Amino acid sequence: MKIRIKDILNKKTKEQITMLTCYDYSFAKILDESGIDIILVGDSLANVVLGMDETRNLSVTEMLNHTKAVALGVEKALLVADMPYNSYQKNPDKCVDYAKQFIELGADAVKVEWFAAQTNKSSQKKDCFYVVKKLLKNKIPVMGHIGLTPQTAHLLGGYKVQGKNEDSARNLLNQSKTLEKLGVFSIVLECIPYQLSNIITKQLKIPTIGIGAGNYCDGQVLVLYDLLGLYNKKRPKFVKVYRDFFCETRKAAGEFVKDVKTKKFPSKEESFSLTPEQNNFLKDLDNLG
Ligand code: KIV
């Protein structure tokens, strides 16, 4: 049965919530069959699939294309699409138009990362709350994301653990409470000490989903390519590699190279053939040469 947002809310205090990122149709089908609760089309797409250094460089079109592919493979899991930087932080007034496109492609909700108002000429503060309010007013379900937010990592001193001093910890707690008050249905806590995620998780009624945030969250998320060992450019401490498909893929590709060079592949079994009668016309063709 299809998992809905109310099912995710009901899991708090009852069972752990599971979430994995996904970027294409084939993996989406596999994850959907695995019993995962939430599939996130993460903007980590930029790093692990498209080879970019920063998620901020991802275009909205790229995210939409991958969301479309994933949506075609998902039947049961709740499907959440990350709003890329260029769909809301660059111009907060565009957020609803873009979010609607993700929902039209099959996403059940969108995820937005916490961001502060950028200095611009407008007197109105257009920050994360402005965007979340706008999305919810337009009936677009929202998942929040606080702590280490990669889209604004450059403003946080880089890819570092957040909430390690009183000010920062208090800020994160306040952000989580405001997001809950606004109406997001869950919040990703990324790279914060487990003692702080425990406090946040206890003080919220909505579920928290941790990545590098310890074991006290209401659920856990990992980047699929990390879990499968496919991406080894950067491997944070919190990653658990469940299978080493980097090595397995390299081995398999190496075997293919060897088989082709030695003419072991393709064999007769992997080739199409003509019957002896059909083969007659080829004799004529062969004679032409
Ligand atoms: O883009 C992503 O992969 C994410 C997860 C790390 C939560 O936002």
Side-chain angles (χ1 to χ4, degrees):
M1 235 183 20
K2 173 78 183 164
I3 296 178
R4 306 274 172 205
I5 286 172
K6 66 171 173 23
D7 302 315
I8 300 299
L9 290 167
N10 282 337
K11 286 181 196 285
K12 180 150 180 139
T13 71
K14 293 196 190 85
E15 65 174 285
Q16 284 286 301
I17 297 161
T18 55
M19 176 158 107
L20 282 170
T21 67
C22 188
Y23 317 98
D24 70 6
Y25 167 79
S26 299
F27 272 126
K29 276 195 84 76
I30 299 170
L31 295 189
D32 204 48
E33 279 183 25
S34 75
I36 199 86
D37 295 316
I38 306 176
I39 292 179
L40 168 70
V41 190
D43 67 350
S44 48
L45 165 72
N47 313 113
V48 301
V49 175
L50 301 180
M52 298 173 185
D53 284 333
E54 304 212 9
T55 56
R56 258 181 313 153
N57 295 333
L58 191 66
S59 73
V60 183
T61 308
E62 284 161 335
M63 256 324 268
L64 287 168
N65 282 341
H66 285 266
T67 301
K68 184 174 168 188
V70 172
L72 289 172
V74 175
E75 282 176 25
K76 285 182 280 187
L78 188 84
L79 181 59
V80 180
D82 240 341
M83 292 280 283
Y85 177 89
N86 289 303
S87 68
Y88 69 114
Q89 294 208 39
K90 198 170 165 197
N91 183 353
D93 287 313
K94 286 263 171 97
C95 67
V96 173
D97 290 348
Y98 284 130
K100 279 185 177 164
Q101 294 183 43
F102 287 105
I103 301 293
E104 274 158 23
L105 287 174
D108 300 302
V110 295
K111 174 165 83 57
V112 300
E113 293 183 14
W114 160 259
F115 72 104
Q118 310 288 307
T119 31
N120 57 29
K121 283 179 201 111
S122 157
S123 55
Q124 202 177 4
K125 249 178 86 187
K126 292 182 176 171
D127 57 8
C128 186
F129 299 145
Y130 174 83
V131 165
V132 170
K133 261 192 217 161
K134 249 174 122 63
L135 294 174
L136 291 170
K137 204 171 152 204
N138 281 275
K139 303 208 165 4
I140 296 163
V142 180
M143 175 183 273
H145 182 162
I146 63 170
L148 172 54
T149 43
Q151 294 175 4
T152 42
H154 58 296
L155 304 173
L156 301 171
Y159 291 83
K160 288 189 179 142
V161 178
Q162 303 296 306
K164 284 178 86 175
N165 60 50
E166 193 183 336
D167 268 2
S168 167
R170 204 175 282 281
N171 261 340
L172 291 170
L173 182 60
N174 288 339
Q175 286 166 17
S176 69
K177 285 187 173 177
T178 314
L179 284 169
E180 174 173 74
K181 214 151 124 209
L182 288 177
V184 307
F185 72 94
S186 64
I187 303 180
V188 169
L189 307 181
E190 179 162 354
C191 272
I192 65 174
Y194 66 84
Q195 295 91 339
L196 176 59
S197 55
N198 187 21
I199 292 172
I200 295 176
T201 301
K202 278 194 301 190
Q203 295 199 15
L204 297 186
K205 290 194 182 69
I206 54 169
T208 59
I209 302 178
I211 177 161
N215 207 5
Y216 291 103
C217 301
D218 298 306
Q220 297 293 330
V221 54
L222 276 181
V223 168
L224 180 66
Y225 278 41
D226 287 338
L227 173 140
L228 296 179
L230 280 169
Y231 183 73
N232 65 0
K233 198 169 163 191
K234 197 165 61 181
R235 192 163 283 166
K237 170 186 159 76
F238 59 76
V239 166
K240 178 166 175 183
V241 180
Y242 282 80
R243 296 285 189 286
D244 189 350
F245 280 118
F246 186 94
C247 285
E248 282 303 310
T249 308
R250 191 173 51 193
K251 245 197 276 174
E255 285 168 27
F256 169 77
V257 169
K258 197 164 147 216
D259 280 359
V260 172
K261 299 271 186 206
T262 57
K263 288 203 149 279
K264 233 170 116 186
F265 175 83
S267 67
K268 280 264 161 62
E269 285 75 48
E270 287 125 2
S271 306
F272 300 106
S273 169
L274 294 172
T275 61
E277 301 80 62
Q278 289 169 328
N279 204 20
N280 277 336
F281 78 88
L282 281 188
K283 283 191 191 125
D284 295 338
L285 287 182
D286 212 12
N287 287 338
L288 285 178

